Amino acid sequence: MLGRIQTALGVVLLLSTPALQAEDDEEDIRLYMQGRYVFQRNCAVCHGRMGRGDGELAKGVTIKPRTFRKGVFKFRSTPMGKLPTDADLQRTIRTGISGSMMPAFTALSAADLRAVIAYIKQLSPRWDDVALKARPVELPAVPDWFSHAEQHEKHARAGRATFKLHCASCHGEAGEGDGSAAKGLADVWGDPIRPAKLNVAHHRSGDSPSDLFRSVALGLDGTPMVGFLAALGEDKIWDLIAYIESLPPSQEQ
């Protein structure tokens, strides 16, 4: 009896597999077409109709819109060289990139957001490489001392030495992005790149201490900015973040 039931179930599954596959394919096509529509409507003017970063508004700007054809992304929670997670892409789309042409798409629906991410992931073959996919790196919570002014100042003083040793050559002594090694830098897309100004109210990777920690710890793929988690460890990076937050604000935001 049991054997006959198992056989019957096997036949049902075998017969239903093509139908299920067809439904999956239809859903993938629907998601792709929806994502393509969202992309052409919201993104192509900067990123180009084919995602090459050559849209109409890309001409003459200093910070070029991303080309999605290389499948390389700066802002990720994954190890260097790995692809970002969907959550990483969502964060960038939702919050934008300060100091660039990338706005915050806060009004985009959840369905459109999911669809446009699916479309972007069709623009580079890197997304098909399983070896490039990774789980997010588990990063620590913001230390309690961050909310205490005296302790924050103490840790900022400790972070100053780390900044001078590891960061000032590119980002400059005052965080203006004008260090001695800043000239002639280029990114993997072949565009000139200037180290980020750190003495600003809004940072490209996000405004929270955790956002800054993530960028310092994991680096920015496609740029000379490497990750410092292994070299410095969590405590020194938090001291460094405290120092960056203490930098006198730039007169030119």
Side-chain angles (χ1 to χ4, degrees):
M1 180 69 176
L2 179 59
R4 289 200 301 272
I5 293 174
Q6 290 174 332
T7 301
L9 286 173
V11 171
V12 170
L13 289 173
L14 182 62
L15 292 174
S16 64
T17 296
L20 292 174
Q21 183 63 51
E23 288 180 7
D24 289 343
D25 290 345
E26 185 176 342
E27 171 62 16
D28 288 343
I29 292 172
R30 185 200 64 76
L31 193 65
Y32 174 86
M33 294 306 296
Q34 180 183 354
R36 184 176 183 274
Y37 172 79
V38 175
F39 185 90
Q40 297 300 333
R41 183 173 181 141
N42 297 278
C43 315
V45 68
C46 290
H47 293 283
R49 294 187 61 81
M50 303 302 294
R52 292 191 173 94
D54 58 354
E56 182 180 349
L57 296 184
K59 300 172 184 177
V61 299
T62 302
I63 301 177
K64 298 293 185 181
R66 182 69 52 248
T67 169
F68 297 115
R69 291 291 174 172
K70 287 185 177 292
V72 178
F73 296 82
K74 294 180 182 180
F75 306 113
R76 351 154 305 281
S77 60
T78 52
M80 286 203 76
K82 302 296 184 180
L83 291 165
T85 65
D86 283 6
D88 293 330
L89 297 177
Q90 289 175 13
R91 181 176 58 250
T92 300
I93 295 171
R94 284 293 193 211
T95 62
I97 302 175
S98 183
S100 77
M101 294 175 63
M102 178 65 185
F105 286 93
T106 55
L108 205 63
S109 72
D112 282 349
L113 180 61
R114 175 172 171 262
V116 77
I117 287 174
Y119 177 75
I120 288 170
K121 291 164 69 171
Q122 297 296 319
L123 295 176
S124 170
R126 279 173 57 88
W127 289 100
D128 296 325
D129 190 342
V130 177
L132 295 178
K133 298 178 182 179
R135 293 181 179 276
V137 176
E138 188 173 347
L139 299 176
V142 179
D144 291 338
W145 54 259
F146 245 84
S147 58
H148 301 281
E150 290 185 4
Q151 293 184 47
H152 190 282
E153 183 178 351
K154 173 185 174 183
H155 284 274
R157 288 197 298 268
R160 183 174 185 272
T162 301
F163 185 89
K164 289 177 66 68
L165 182 62
H166 294 284
C167 313
S169 61
C170 287
H171 293 282
E173 294 289 338
E176 289 280 354
D178 58 355
S180 58
K183 297 179 181 178
L185 294 179
D187 59 27
V188 73
W189 302 278
D191 297 317
I193 187 172
R194 177 184 177 182
K197 291 169 66 72
L198 299 177
N199 56 349
V200 292
H202 303 288
H203 299 278
R204 294 177 191 170
S205 58
D207 295 339
S208 74
S210 293
D211 291 326
L212 285 173
F213 186 100
R214 184 179 61 251
S215 291
V216 174
L218 304 181
L220 305 178
D221 275 351
T223 80
M225 175 65 185
V226 300
F228 286 94
L229 184 58
L232 297 179
E234 295 176 2
D235 292 341
K236 282 191 175 182
I237 292 179
W238 282 124
D239 290 347
L240 180 59
I241 303 306
Y243 177 70
I244 291 173
E245 289 192 342
S246 73
L247 289 169
S250 172
Q251 298 302 312
E252 179 187 349
Q253 296 292 325

